[in-house]
């Protein structure tokens, strides 16, 4: 007979809880060490990635632009046709190699502190790192043109360094 069967039920329950608490403590202590190996972007270290996955593609920048459609002055929302015409006139000439447009729903806090919910567009551009300086100027022109054309407070921008293979 094992000693555990001779123990009262409450003692066996207490030992089970102690074992669970100990396992939780071990995980809590080990987690920071595991996260310490991550870089600022929250991805695995470059050395681990290079060992696990062969490097593909060339160094690129991915820029995401987020365009709202509601007008702060209360005018009609930007339509699909208006946005498509804007992309054709303002974006495509500067980025003829390609782009992606996705529709979505977004929200943000406006200059008056109100939460605005609206239909939106995400524009994704990919360009070689070597073209980053020239592309930056073009992207800023696109942002300003949209703000002016459609009376927007801002166009959000996210830039990410990545590798691209076509």
């Amino acid at each position: 007979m094992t000693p555990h069967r001779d123990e009262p039920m409450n003692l066996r329950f207490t030992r089970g809880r102690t074992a669970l608490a100990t396992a939780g403590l071990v995980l809590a202590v080990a987690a920071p060490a595991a996260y310490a190996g991550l870089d600022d972007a929250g991805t695995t270290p470059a050395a681990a990635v290079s060992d696990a996955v062969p490097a593909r593609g060339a160094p690129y920048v991915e820029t995401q632009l987020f365009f709202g459609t509601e007008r702060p002055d209360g005018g009609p929302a930007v339509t699909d046709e208006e946005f498509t015409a804007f992309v054709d006139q303002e974006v495509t000439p500067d980025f003829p190699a390609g782009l992606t447009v996705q529709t979505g729903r977004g929200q943000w806090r406006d200059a008056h502190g109100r939460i605005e919910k609206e239909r939106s567009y995400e524009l994704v551009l990919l360009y070689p790192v070597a073209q980053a300086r020239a592309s930056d100027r073009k992207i800023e022109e696109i942002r300003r043109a949209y703000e002016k054309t459609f009376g927007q407070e801002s166009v959000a921008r996210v830039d990410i360094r990545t590798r691209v293979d076509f």
Side-chain angles (χ1 to χ4, degrees):
M1 220 182 219
T2 64
H4 295 297
R5 290 191 182 201
D6 294 337
E7 295 174 345
M9 180 64 94
N10 63 347
L11 184 55
R12 280 189 274 166
F13 179 73
T14 301
R15 283 187 184 208
R17 285 183 27 191
T18 302
L20 284 174
T22 302
L25 182 60
V26 168
L27 288 174
V29 170
Y35 283 113
L38 300 178
D39 65 14
D40 291 338
T43 60
T44 54
V49 171
S50 65
D51 291 343
V53 178
R56 298 223 193 283
Y60 266 65
V61 176
E62 175 183 344
T63 296
Q64 302 165 342
L65 299 176
F66 298 90
F67 300 88
T69 57
E70 297 296 317
R71 298 181 198 238
D73 65 3
V78 178
T79 65
D80 288 338
E81 293 78 19
E82 289 173 317
F83 187 77
T84 299
F86 176 83
V87 169
D88 291 346
Q89 295 165 10
E90 298 289 337
V91 183
T92 301
D94 287 331
F95 295 92
L99 55 89
T100 299
V101 174
Q102 301 179 77
T103 59
R105 302 270 328 150
Q107 72 179 44
W108 73 300
R109 186 179 308 272
D110 69 12
H112 303 289
R114 292 185 302 259
I115 300 289
E116 299 289 337
K117 296 180 180 186
E118 60 188 326
R119 188 172 49 82
S120 60
Y121 297 97
E122 176 187 9
L123 173 70
V124 180
L125 302 168
L126 294 169
Y127 47 91
V129 169
Q131 296 175 8
R133 180 164 295 197
S135 295
D136 178 68
R137 179 187 49 77
K138 295 172 185 177
I139 291 166
E140 288 306 301
E141 289 173 2
I142 291 166
R143 293 174 72 200
R144 300 292 92 69
Y146 190 82
E147 291 167 2
K148 182 178 178 185
T149 302
F150 299 108
Q152 298 292 301
E153 280 185 35
S154 69
V155 172
R157 176 179 178 171
V158 176
D159 293 304
I160 304 164
R161 285 190 62 125
T162 189
R163 296 190 69 81
V164 176
D165 185 22
F166 293 101

